[in-house]
Amino acid sequence: RLVGFAGKRDTDFIEDRTIPLSACMTPVSDVATAFHPCTLEEVNEKMMTLKVSYLCVVDTEGNLKSLTTRSDLKKNRDYPNQCKNAQGQLVCGAAVSSSSADALDRADALAKAGVDVIVIDSRNGDTQEQLDVLKWIKQNHPSVDVIAGNVAVHSQVRKLL
């Protein structure tokens, strides 16, 4: 549950670092908020209208669902072609090693955490280890994109397809 907000402006000049955060944070009644669900465009418009640096998106019970910052607004404006997923979030990727004993556990944990793409790290793109990890990921998490390689000849590509 959102109880307040503590940003740099609230804490920059506090020398006594033993005081509780509640003593210096902006109380929830003064925090700029929007209600979930809302679109990124609605959040951007509200931030510009209120001229605030942060906007907390909360549900009907006051639980924090997301936080949007002024720098988010500027990045959306300055980089309109940034790589985003279907939910409008920046694409997130992570790697697993095809030769690692925990490759499948790591891939499973990454997929369950919501990663968009998994990169299989391997010295040679068509090793049996990499093919096994690729097959397992696509069977168990078909919606997760996978990047595999590195390949030098078309026969290696065929194995990965």
Side-chain angles (χ1 to χ4, degrees):
R1 183 167 177 91
L2 182 65
V3 296
F5 185 84
K8 285 185 178 184
R9 292 178 184 165
D10 298 303
T11 60
D12 269 352
F13 300 109
I14 295 177
E15 292 180 20
D16 180 3
R17 295 298 180 172
T18 64
I19 66 169
L21 190 58
S22 60
C24 62
M25 72 180 179
T26 302
V28 69
S29 58
D30 296 335
V31 175
T33 59
F35 289 100
H36 179 80
C38 57
T39 66
L40 184 59
E41 291 78 21
E42 291 168 337
V43 169
N44 290 349
E45 183 64 35
K46 188 162 189 174
M47 288 184 71
M48 287 186 282
T49 301
L50 296 174
K51 298 180 182 176
V52 293
S53 297
Y54 303 93
L55 186 81
C56 297
V57 179
V58 295
D59 64 16
T60 55
E61 297 171 6
N63 297 311
L64 183 66
K65 301 300 280 185
S66 67
L67 172 69
T68 302
T69 67
R70 186 168 188 268
S71 65
D72 294 334
L73 282 176
K74 290 167 54 178
K75 287 176 187 175
N76 285 330
R77 179 197 65 202
D78 297 343
Y79 305 102
N81 297 322
Q82 57 193 311
C83 188
K84 293 187 177 181
N85 63 20
Q87 290 76 39
Q89 301 166 324
L90 291 174
V91 170
C92 176
V96 298
S97 172
S98 63
S99 60
S100 173
D102 69 342
L104 302 183
D105 290 337
R106 179 170 165 77
D108 191 48
L110 290 167
K112 287 178 179 174
V115 72
D116 297 295
V117 61
I118 295 175
V119 178
I120 302 174
D121 185 15
S122 180
R123 287 186 309 263
N124 188 350
D126 66 344
T127 63
Q128 191 58 49
E129 290 172 327
Q130 186 175 60
L131 296 171
D132 291 343
V133 172
L134 173 62
K135 183 177 179 181
W136 186 90
I137 293 171
K138 291 315 288 179
Q139 285 176 344
N140 291 280
H141 301 285
S143 64
V144 176
D145 290 330
V146 180
I147 298 173
N150 87 50
V151 295
V153 295
H154 69 337
S155 61
Q156 290 177 308
V157 174
R158 284 193 184 130
K159 287 182 182 181
L160 293 173
L161 295 176

